């Protein structure tokens, strides 16, 4: 069974590779021509996730603990030139995805201007895969964000209802999904982070998080989602927060925290198995896995190839502290200082990444080097189905 699907994959890969390149060229060249409307593969994107994907749903009072200063400069200084409530110096992966598809940046659901006809972002910083109640019940007070991925699904359903979609349950909300890319940013990093210091075993966190997450995906697919990208967890052991908490002998071959990278690796392995199950259950949908973990690892192994001179230190933080990071003086607080050249840094504020890093990662997802099956397969299916 496994070997059949693997063979099937590689067949798909070779088959769609050239088709995809021509689609990308068609997108960029038609967008560049002045006359006529470019034919866009998608009219809208619906996005979900946490602070790696949030384009402004966060309320700083309920954002991730210790990172509540996203409304302050120098957040947003690179591209937008002012804070936009994005946890970076500039654009996120989801912004580069929107650009690549010639769509506007996604408006955050909580601050929706317009009718959301080009899509909406439901991702919210600090969000967990497992329901908030679990963290409350276990006195895990680091979790001050009440919204989980389940909340995002509730928001999405409200949005659909408000737009007049899915009135007739039997119609499966076809109009809402036919021209929509569903982009699910990584979620689950916070679940582990909030349990640090507790006695809750990784296995339990993983099981709960993935079961909640899979439930949400299933619900989207049942409604009629057809073109779906799901990002795995990044190399969480390379974040300054993890590096500064872990003991110095807990390191892997690339100098990051071995146990933490292993934790996200194990999470991703289970997640991918679930995605394989969903592909069988919903054959009419395309489900792409965005391999954040390996994309990040490839960059860590040869940072200069991607223009990075600094792979461990945060750009914005506490100079003089290890990894330029101090949980009590994080980016956006008075004492924090940002580096002058964020485009040469992988990490922005100790947890979140720089625009430059998000750009490389989004390229790796979109050009297929770190998406399975490659993103081009999704574009190709969309092209055929109209
Ligand atoms: C949404 O707004 C855009 C721009 O204002 C408009 O062109 C479009 O027709 C509207 N769509 C709906 C479904 O109301
Ligand atoms: C949580 O804290 C409350 C009050 O301090 C205590 O009564 C309860 O036993 C704690 N629960 C757990 C699961 O630790
Ligand atoms: C990673 O963790 C799993 C348990 O979750 C363990 O079985 C495995 O040996 C670990 N691998 C490494 C490379 O540490
Ligand atoms: C995909 O993008 C990455 C990052 O920009 C780049 O290094 C790589 O060469 C690209 N691969 C292909 C097949 O275009």
């Amino acid at each position: 069974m496994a070997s059949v699907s693997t063979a099937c994959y590689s067949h798909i890969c070779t088959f769609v590779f050239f088709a995809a390149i021509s689609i990308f060229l068609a997108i960029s060249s038609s967008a560049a021509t002045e006359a006529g409307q470019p034919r866009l593969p998608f009219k809208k994107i619906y996005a979900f996730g946490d602070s790696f994907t949030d384009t402004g749903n966060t309320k700083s009072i309920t954002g991730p603990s210790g990172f509540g200063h996203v409304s302050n400069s120098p957040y947003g200084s690179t591209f937008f030139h002012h804070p936009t409530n994005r946890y970076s110096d500039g654009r996120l992966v989801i912004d580069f995805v929107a650009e690549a598809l010639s769509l506007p940046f996604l408006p955050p659901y909580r601050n929706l201007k317009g009718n959301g006809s080009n899509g909406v972002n439901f991702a919210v910083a600090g969000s967990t895969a497992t329901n908030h109640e679990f963290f409350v019940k276990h006195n895990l007070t680091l979790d001050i964000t009440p919204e989980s991925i389940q909340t995002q699904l509730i928001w999405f359903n409200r949005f659909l209802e408000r737009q007049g979609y899915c009135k007739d349950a039997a119609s499966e909300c076809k109009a809402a999904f036919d021209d929509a890319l569903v982009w699910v940013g990584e979620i689950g990093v916070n679940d582990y982070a909030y349990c640090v210091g507790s006695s809750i075993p990784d296995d339990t966190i993983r099981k709960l998080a993935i079961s909640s997450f899979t439930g949400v995906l299933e619900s989207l697919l049942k409604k009629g989602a057809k073109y779906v990208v799901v990002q795995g967890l990044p190399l969480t052991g390379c974040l300054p927060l993890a590096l500064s908490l872990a003991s110095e002998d807990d390191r892997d071959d690339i100098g990051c925290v071995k146990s933490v990278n292993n934790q996200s690796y194990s999470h991703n392995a289970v997640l991918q198995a679930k995605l394989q199950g969903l592909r069988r259950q919903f054959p009419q949908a395309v489900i792409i896995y965005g391999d954040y973990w390996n994309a990040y690892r490839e960059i860590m192994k040869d940072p200069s190839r991607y223009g990075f001179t600094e792979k461990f230190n945060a750009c914005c933080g506490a100079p003089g502290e290890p990894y330029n990071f101090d949980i009590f003086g994080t980016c956006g607080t008075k004492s924090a200082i940002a580096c002058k050249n964020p485009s040469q840094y992988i990490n922005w504020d100790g947890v979140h990444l720089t625009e430059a890093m998000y750009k490389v990662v989004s390229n790796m997802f979109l050009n297929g080097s770190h998406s399975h099956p490659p993103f081009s397969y999704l574009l190709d299916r969309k092209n055929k189905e109209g």
Side-chain angles (χ1 to χ4, degrees):
M1 204 52 203
S3 68
V4 172
S5 65
T6 313
C8 200
Y9 261 42
S10 54
H11 171 71
I12 288 168
C13 294
T14 35
F15 172 64
V16 296
F17 189 67
F18 294 103
I21 288 180
S22 56
I23 291 167
F24 263 108
L25 290 179
I27 293 173
S28 45
S29 64
S30 60
T33 54
E34 279 164 46
Q37 285 288 339
R39 212 172 74 81
L40 304 178
F42 292 102
K43 293 209 176 86
K44 50 191 174 253
I45 304 173
Y46 302 124
F48 303 86
D50 62 13
S51 53
F52 285 80
T53 309
D54 185 353
T55 54
N57 282 313
T58 189
K59 294 201 160 67
S60 50
I61 40 159
T62 58
S65 297
F67 294 87
H69 310 282
V70 66
S71 310
N72 296 348
S73 168
Y75 280 98
S77 53
T78 294
F79 179 80
F80 301 99
H81 305 299
H82 61 88
T84 66
N85 279 353
R86 281 172 175 77
Y87 284 82
S88 182
D89 58 314
R91 288 162 289 181
L92 313 178
V93 167
I94 190 65
D95 294 313
F96 289 111
V97 169
E99 281 185 358
L101 297 172
S102 303
L103 290 172
F105 295 137
L106 290 189
Y109 171 77
R110 270 178 166 172
N111 193 15
L112 192 56
K113 302 198 169 74
N115 56 20
S117 56
N118 289 126
V120 179
N121 193 343
F122 301 92
V124 57
S127 211
T128 49
T130 299
N131 267 341
H132 182 61
E133 286 67 40
F134 170 83
F135 301 90
V136 174
K137 200 175 78 190
H138 288 87
N139 293 340
L140 298 166
T141 53
L142 281 176
D143 184 11
I144 55 172
T145 306
E147 299 87 9
S148 68
I149 188 90
Q150 312 246 2
T151 317
Q152 297 175 36
L153 181 65
I154 293 169
W155 288 351
F156 180 57
N157 288 338
R158 254 180 231 158
F159 168 78
L160 292 179
E161 205 176 298
R162 215 180 293 155
Q163 296 303 113
Y165 291 127
C166 317
K167 278 202 172 123
D168 171 17
S171 76
E172 283 194 311
C173 329
K174 199 169 160 13
F177 286 111
D178 270 1
D179 286 311
L181 175 65
V182 176
W183 191 280
V184 190
E186 74 78 23
I187 187 130
V189 165
N190 291 322
D191 296 59
Y192 294 98
Y194 297 150
C195 293
V196 166
S198 79
S199 59
I200 300 170
D202 277 4
D203 280 358
T204 306
I205 304 166
R206 184 167 59 237
K207 249 182 229 149
L208 288 170
I210 289 182
S211 131
S212 165
F213 183 62
T214 311
V216 168
L217 283 179
E218 200 173 344
S219 170
L220 291 170
L221 290 159
K222 271 190 186 145
K223 275 188 186 307
K226 279 163 78 178
Y227 309 102
V228 184
V229 177
V230 178
Q231 284 180 224
L233 302 191
L235 274 188
T236 40
C238 298
L239 308 176
L241 173 67
L243 288 161
S244 64
L245 285 177
S247 91
E248 274 174 36
D249 58 8
D250 186 1
R251 293 292 185 267
D252 59 16
D253 60 328
I254 51 171
C256 299
V257 182
K258 184 176 182 172
S259 60
V260 176
N261 276 345
N262 186 26
Q263 182 186 63
S264 40
Y265 182 89
S266 307
H267 184 99
N268 289 338
V270 177
L271 174 62
Q272 286 176 83
K274 293 284 180 193
L275 293 184
Q276 196 52 34
L278 290 172
R279 287 183 186 113
R280 281 193 289 267
Q281 201 182 333
F282 299 93
Q284 74 284 6
V286 184
I287 304 173
I288 306 285
Y289 175 67
D291 190 351
Y292 213 156
W293 200 94
N294 279 303
Y296 200 144
R297 188 172 156 82
E298 185 156 325
I299 297 160
M300 287 299 287
K301 285 198 299 196
D302 191 6
S304 62
R305 186 177 160 210
Y306 306 93
F308 299 116
T309 56
E310 181 49 67
K311 57 178 181 173
F312 291 123
N313 287 335
C315 165
C316 182
E321 294 298 321
Y323 309 104
N324 204 23
F325 180 74
D326 173 10
I327 191 75
F328 301 109
T330 48
C331 190
T333 57
K334 281 210 177 70
S335 63
I337 295 174
C339 67
K340 293 204 163 54
N341 48 347
S343 67
Q344 291 172 6
Y345 281 65
I346 287 179
N347 195 277
W348 168 245
D349 65 2
V351 167
H352 308 98
L353 311 177
T354 57
E355 168 179 288
M357 177 65 172
Y358 285 137
K359 184 173 190 171
V360 177
V361 170
S362 62
N363 270 342
M364 289 178 162
F365 292 154
L366 294 172
N367 78 12
S369 70
H370 289 82
S371 49
H372 314 293
F375 187 71
S376 57
Y377 173 68
L378 180 147
L379 284 180
D380 193 49
R381 277 274 293 263
K382 176 72 179 72
N383 206 30
K384 281 196 190 120
E385 287 161 13

